[in-house]
């Protein structure tokens, strides 16, 4: 019995030492970065990340936090790099927002005009209501306008548009079937003309 207990105790001791050292390493660095290097956006993924090429620029836009809520500040970060020179865009960028609706009032509301800090444009926006919105970032370079539209959902996503489209298609098909059947009932079947017997 003593011979069996000795290797088991040795294995348990090794496991305890192994896991104890792991927790020390986890406490100092997260994802390979020291904890003092974190900012408010370092530990959470963006709600939206868009990387797009527009004209002569590569534009990257991020929206934080990962799950935006009504009544909570959201942060938009944008940076644009010229494709040929790889220089950051340094002119002003205008931010606006509008409701993402098919019908009704989708008038844009200006959020602000920002200049870059360390090559990054930052805009804070407070959404008062849950819903679907489109954030527009626009700038002008070399006499050409550049516009990036970002669809963003605040709060729980709503699927009314998809549901309404599906119901509309189904109702449309049912109406067309009903009309075709009604027309078929109204037109009498034509009987062949009588033939004369010789």
């Amino acid at each position: 019995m003593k011979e069996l207990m000795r290797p088991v105790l040795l294995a348990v001791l090794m496991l305890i030492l192994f896991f104890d050292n792991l927790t020390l390493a986890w406490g100092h660095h997260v994802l390979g970065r020291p904890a003092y290097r974190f900012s408010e956006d370092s530990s959470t993924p963006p709600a939206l990340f868009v990387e797009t090429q527009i004209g002569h620029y590569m534009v990257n836009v991020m929206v934080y936090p990962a799950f935006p809520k009504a009544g909570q500040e959201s942060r938009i970060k944008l940076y644009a790099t010229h494709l040929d020179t790889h220089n950051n865009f340094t002119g002003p960028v205008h931010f606006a927002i509008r409701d993402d609706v098919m019908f009704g009032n989708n008038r844009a509301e200006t959020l602000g005009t920002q200049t870059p800090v360390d090559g990054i444009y930052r805009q804070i926006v407070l959404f008062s209501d849950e819903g679907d919105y489109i954030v527009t970032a626009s700038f002008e370079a070399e006499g050409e306008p550049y516009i990036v539209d970002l669809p963003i959902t605040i709060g729980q996503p709503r699927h009314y548009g998809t549901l309404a489209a599906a119901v509309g298609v189904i109702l449309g098909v049912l109406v067309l079937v009903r009309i075709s059947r009604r027309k078929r009932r109204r037109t009498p079947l034509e009987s062949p003309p009588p033939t004369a017997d010789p």
Side-chain angles (χ1 to χ4, degrees):
M1 183 78 159
K2 283 186 176 181
E3 293 172 10
L4 183 62
M5 288 297 284
R6 189 176 220 175
V8 171
L9 286 174
L10 186 61
V12 169
L13 182 62
M14 288 176 64
L15 283 173
I16 290 172
L17 290 174
F18 176 74
F19 283 111
D20 188 44
N21 286 335
L22 274 180
T23 57
L24 290 176
W26 286 340
H28 181 67
H29 285 80
V30 176
L31 300 175
R33 297 180 295 179
Y36 58 82
R37 292 292 310 259
F38 283 156
S39 69
E40 69 273 6
D41 299 329
S42 295
S43 59
T44 61
L48 180 69
F49 175 77
V50 174
E51 182 177 48
T52 185
Q53 178 181 339
I54 303 173
H56 302 290
Y57 284 89
M58 179 64 71
V59 178
N60 293 299
V61 183
M62 292 163 275
V63 178
Y64 292 95
F67 304 103
K69 298 176 185 170
Q72 178 184 22
E73 283 186 349
S74 295
R75 298 172 304 282
I76 303 167
K77 294 186 177 184
L78 176 142
Y79 63 93
T81 307
H82 197 276
L83 291 172
D84 297 332
T85 64
H86 301 289
N87 291 332
N88 290 340
F89 177 71
T90 57
V93 173
H94 309 285
F95 291 92
I97 190 168
R98 66 181 187 271
D99 289 334
D100 187 9
V101 294
M102 189 175 298
F103 303 107
N105 184 10
N106 63 351
R107 181 179 52 87
E109 181 179 328
T110 301
L111 294 174
T113 301
Q114 303 299 325
T115 55
V117 176
D118 298 328
I120 299 175
Y121 297 85
R122 293 172 174 87
Q123 177 67 54
I124 294 177
V125 59
L126 180 64
F127 295 96
S128 58
D129 298 323
E130 288 188 356
D132 297 323
Y133 298 94
I134 295 180
V135 175
T136 301
S138 61
F139 61 93
E140 189 171 314
E142 301 166 7
E144 295 182 35
Y146 293 88
I147 298 172
V148 179
D149 284 336
L150 308 160
I152 185 168
T153 299
I154 304 300
Q156 294 296 324
R158 298 179 189 169
H159 301 287
Y160 298 131
T162 307
L163 181 63
V167 169
V169 167
I170 291 171
L171 286 177
V173 168
L174 290 175
V175 167
L176 289 176
V177 167
R178 176 99 174 164
I179 290 173
S180 68
R181 284 188 178 177
R182 186 176 283 177
K183 282 185 178 182
R184 201 177 304 158
R185 282 188 205 153
R186 284 188 183 170
T187 55
L189 295 175
E190 294 182 21
S191 56
T195 55
D197 288 331

